[in-house]
Amino acid sequence: MKILITGGAGFIGSAVVRLAMVRGHEVVNLDALTYAANLANVAEVADLPGYAFEQADIRDRAALDRILARHRPDAIMHLAAESHVDRSIDGPAAFIETNVIGTFNMLEAARAYWTAEGRPEGFRFHHISTDEVFGSLGETGQFTETTPYDPRSPYSASKAASDHLVRAWAETYGLPVVLTNCSNNYGPYHFPEKLVPVVILKALAGQPIPVYGDGGNVRDWLYVEDHADALLLVLEKGQLNRSYNIGGANEARNIDLVRTICAHMDDMNPAGAPHERLITFVTDRPGHDRRYAIDPTRIRDELGWRPSVTVEEGLRRTVAWYLENRDWWQPLLERDGVGKRLGAA
């Protein structure tokens, strides 16, 4: 199968690119190479037969039309998005332009291409979204595929809008789509402004480790390579016009996650131990959702997927990867906004 993957130089997108190539698919990696993208993320597969890279912005409809006509993919996996909640608080316009207008352009380009190709039965448009569209949970309960949408940040609102567009294009135009909503990802190649890499790199530098509020916010943590596996499975075997929630079955409070990372740092970088002494509670961000949790029953029962990596093992692997790959993350610390407090408005 030839798959066009948008956002393939980003964190999750690059994991999908790497796994798809290993499994023998052809891949067209379409990425605008904005601040969080890095072609080093796919360097290990970039020279393999069947890989192609196209630098383009999903807001550029003409470019999308040219790329689809040139490569004629069998499927599209749409991951390109602005995804950092804190940045969405400071600058929501970019999130509307990329996540809403960009997705509209992708849908229209895909529809035109699919129609021109004679509406092939096997074509799929796989839209990758987030559990944040469902809002915030109380102390109990989990998000299912039928949970009402209740986004609380500019980021989650923009992703909710994109989900609605995808469903509308399926209903109105018959575009063959599948959707997925995932929990928080972590793992290798995670851009160093997100929680897990921030904790690792702050601990390594002996700097204060910022924890929002009281650290009691709960997330379901999903190892990125498990997520890539689930996404390819949904693309290949998911039921048309259906959504699947993908979770790691690894709920943890932020403060407990941070302490676990510190413990791994103590073990692997004992010179800085105990790293937990660096934890510093800071003012919470506006509208910070208290708890997310995914019910993965549908993808488990229909497709047989389960996460293979526990949060304990995944965090250990992730800490080891960052300690061994300074050449990857060191240059990224100079990019715009990295290391600064964002989203405190």
Side-chain angles (χ1 to χ4, degrees):
M1 183 188 303
K2 180 184 283 189
I3 310 169
L4 185 144
I5 300 173
T6 72
F11 171 47
I12 300 174
S14 66
V16 178
V17 168
R18 294 191 302 269
L19 185 59
M21 291 296 298
V22 166
R23 291 185 176 174
H25 297 294
E26 295 179 75
V27 169
V28 181
N29 180 357
L30 187 159
D31 201 293
L33 297 183
T34 55
Y35 79 96
N38 190 349
L39 286 176
N41 298 2
V42 294
E44 65 189 65
V45 300
D47 293 328
L48 295 179
Y51 174 85
F53 174 71
E54 293 278 1
Q55 184 171 355
D57 194 314
I58 60 173
R59 297 173 297 179
D60 184 348
R61 171 63 193 280
L64 299 178
D65 289 340
R66 289 194 301 270
I67 290 166
L68 286 169
R70 180 183 305 136
H71 293 282
R72 302 182 66 200
D74 303 305
I76 295 171
M77 299 182 74
H78 178 40
L79 294 102
E82 293 284 349
S83 65
H84 191 34
V85 174
D86 290 356
R87 286 182 183 263
S88 81
I89 294 170
D90 290 346
F95 288 72
I96 302 303
E97 292 166 2
T98 298
N99 299 351
V100 182
I101 303 303
T103 297
F104 163 73
N105 283 333
M106 283 300 307
L107 287 165
E108 281 291 84
R111 181 167 72 97
Y113 165 73
W114 175 61
T115 301
E117 290 289 304
R119 300 192 168 201
E121 186 176 339
F123 181 80
R124 294 290 183 272
F125 184 100
H126 181 180
H127 177 64
I128 289 83
S129 190
T130 171
D131 61 357
E132 296 191 38
V133 299
F134 300 123
S136 186
L137 289 167
E139 293 184 3
T140 61
Q142 295 179 309
F143 297 134
T144 72
E145 289 80 2
T146 59
T147 298
Y149 277 39
D150 186 23
R152 308 290 186 89
S153 71
Y155 162 61
S156 58
S158 69
K159 289 299 289 184
S162 70
D163 291 8
H164 292 320
L165 289 174
V166 173
R167 289 189 173 94
W169 260 242
E171 290 292 333
T172 302
Y173 302 111
L175 187 69
V177 308
V178 287
L179 297 90
T180 50
N181 296 81
C182 70
S183 57
N184 281 40
N185 280 221
Y186 69 99
Y189 301 102
H190 205 174
F191 191 73
E193 67 179 0
K194 300 295 183 77
L195 177 60
V196 170
V198 163
V199 174
I200 296 169
L201 299 184
K202 292 292 187 183
L204 184 60
Q207 297 174 352
I209 299 171
V211 175
Y212 286 172
D214 62 1
N217 301 78
V218 175
R219 300 293 183 263
D220 176 13
W221 293 92
L222 175 63
Y223 193 60
V224 69
E225 293 174 8
D226 273 345
H227 188 198
D229 175 60
L231 292 178
L232 288 171
L233 180 64
V234 170
L235 179 71
E236 295 166 8
K237 298 183 179 179
Q239 183 176 322
L240 196 63
N241 301 336
R242 198 155 172 81
S243 66
Y244 294 86
N245 281 357
I246 304 173
N250 286 312
E251 276 190 65
R253 296 188 308 160
N254 284 351
I255 186 60
D256 296 329
L257 186 88
V258 171
R259 287 172 176 153
T260 299
I261 295 170
C262 287
H264 289 317
M265 287 292 296
D266 290 349
D267 184 39
M268 294 184 230
N269 186 55
H275 293 88
E276 191 172 324
R277 64 185 167 79
L278 300 169
I279 294 174
T280 304
F281 294 94
V282 300
T283 303
D284 208 350
R285 71 180 177 215
H288 195 179
D289 293 337
R290 189 64 175 176
R291 176 174 170 262
Y292 304 148
I294 285 280
D295 178 354
T297 300
R298 177 177 287 179
I299 191 171
R300 183 185 64 223
D301 290 354
E302 291 188 10
L303 304 182
W305 181 85
R306 287 175 172 81
S308 66
V309 181
T310 65
V311 71
E312 179 75 21
E313 174 59 25
L315 288 174
R316 173 169 284 277
R317 292 186 195 178
T318 303
V319 169
W321 189 88
Y322 277 88
L323 292 178
E324 294 165 4
N325 288 275
R326 180 182 291 267
D327 288 347
W328 178 84
W329 56 259
Q330 187 73 52
L332 302 181
L333 300 181
E334 304 303 318
R335 294 195 179 182
D336 181 48
V338 178
K340 299 177 182 177
R341 175 66 197 270
L342 303 170

